[in-house]
Amino acid sequence: MKPSRKPTPKPTRPAPTTTPGTGTPTVAGCPQGQHQRAVETYLTRLGGFGAVTVDGRQSAADCAAIKKFQKRYGIRPVEGRAGPTTLDVAQRLATTDTTRCKAGTGTTFCVDLTRQTVWALRGGKVIMAPTVTRTGMSGYRTPAGTYAVNYRNPKEWSNPYEVWLPYWQHFTQGMGFHETTTYLHDKSIGSHGCVNLLHADAVRMWELGKVGTRVVLIGRRPGT
């Protein structure tokens, strides 16, 4: 008789624990948010943040991917929890349709005012993937339309609002792209019409842009 072979045990996920005093499930110290499955789904669609299993259960790999996503898009705190802000950002990015922007033959900066996202095209091809932005708040609506960058300054000073505007690229009516000086994901506020950007995105758009770069804004920010 041949010796029987024991079946190889299937790998299992570590059993979740809870944060003391909160009852919040954690895996490897990473809390599970109320939007776990939805965030897993959108991160899988976006790609580039590591291995994610779409099952609605936190894992060490899921935690690492969510943390990487949160760090990239300036979401605080970076704790791997699939909370409302993480879901909102992931959904907006994953559902942005880059083909809606009517690009020219050169570089075009595209802004989806409805989803509050921005990306760049060159010759019709995406050269900067959709990222987050925050445009004009109520009373200071950023208008849809087609414009062009007509003035640039790596560190512009705003006289009316007394604030620095890093990586400033103006396109119409005192409005332009620039790095924000406040928490981008605070939806209770907004700009005075400008297209606010995270530092890394402001730098990248500065590198891609020049006077004459086409600017296309579509949609309308909700509530404006």
Side-chain angles (χ1 to χ4, degrees):
M1 293 180 59
K2 294 183 179 180
S4 59
R5 299 177 63 182
K6 294 182 179 180
T8 303
K10 294 182 179 180
T12 58
R13 292 189 172 202
T17 58
T18 58
T19 302
T22 67
T24 302
T26 65
V27 173
C30 194
Q32 176 168 315
Q34 65 270 48
H35 304 293
Q36 185 72 29
R37 180 180 287 274
V39 169
E40 291 167 351
T41 300
Y42 289 125
L43 291 195
T44 299
R45 187 184 303 180
L46 289 168
F49 296 97
V52 177
T53 302
V54 182
D55 60 2
R57 296 171 56 202
Q58 185 68 287
S59 71
D62 295 339
C63 175
I66 295 171
K67 282 184 176 180
K68 185 176 181 180
F69 178 81
Q70 291 170 333
K71 184 176 181 180
R72 166 62 183 90
Y73 294 108
I75 300 169
R76 301 196 298 258
V78 178
E79 62 177 355
R81 178 178 176 273
T85 300
T86 300
L87 171 62
D88 175 64
V89 174
Q91 182 178 41
R92 284 158 48 200
L93 293 175
T95 59
T96 293
D97 181 0
T98 59
T99 65
R100 292 183 62 210
C101 180
K102 296 181 179 179
T105 56
T107 299
T108 301
F109 290 159
C110 306
V111 183
D112 184 333
L113 296 166
T114 305
R115 287 180 174 78
Q116 295 286 279
T117 55
V118 58
W119 64 100
L121 303 173
R122 181 175 293 154
K125 295 183 179 180
V126 176
I127 57 173
M128 187 183 86
T131 186
V132 286
T133 186
R134 182 182 58 197
T135 60
M137 56 189 162
S138 179
Y140 298 91
R141 179 170 62 89
T142 306
T146 300
Y147 311 95
V149 172
N150 54 24
Y151 173 71
R152 288 167 27 111
N153 188 349
K155 193 175 182 182
E156 182 78 357
W157 175 253
S158 171
N159 284 316
Y161 305 114
E162 298 186 338
V163 64
W164 287 108
L165 308 174
Y167 307 102
W168 170 250
Q169 299 191 78
H170 176 268
F171 57 84
T172 188
Q173 304 174 44
M175 302 177 191
F177 299 93
H178 68 84
E179 178 182 348
T180 183
T181 56
T182 59
Y183 183 52
L184 187 72
H185 302 294
D186 183 353
K187 288 191 172 183
S188 67
I189 61 175
S191 73
H192 294 92
C194 289
V195 180
N196 291 170
L197 301 166
L198 297 170
H199 171 74
D201 299 323
V203 171
R204 181 58 179 150
M205 293 188 73
W206 176 265
E207 293 170 344
L208 294 173
K210 63 181 181 179
V211 170
T213 294
R214 181 183 177 93
V215 178
V216 177
L217 297 95
I218 57 176
R220 182 168 180 163
R221 180 181 175 179
T224 66

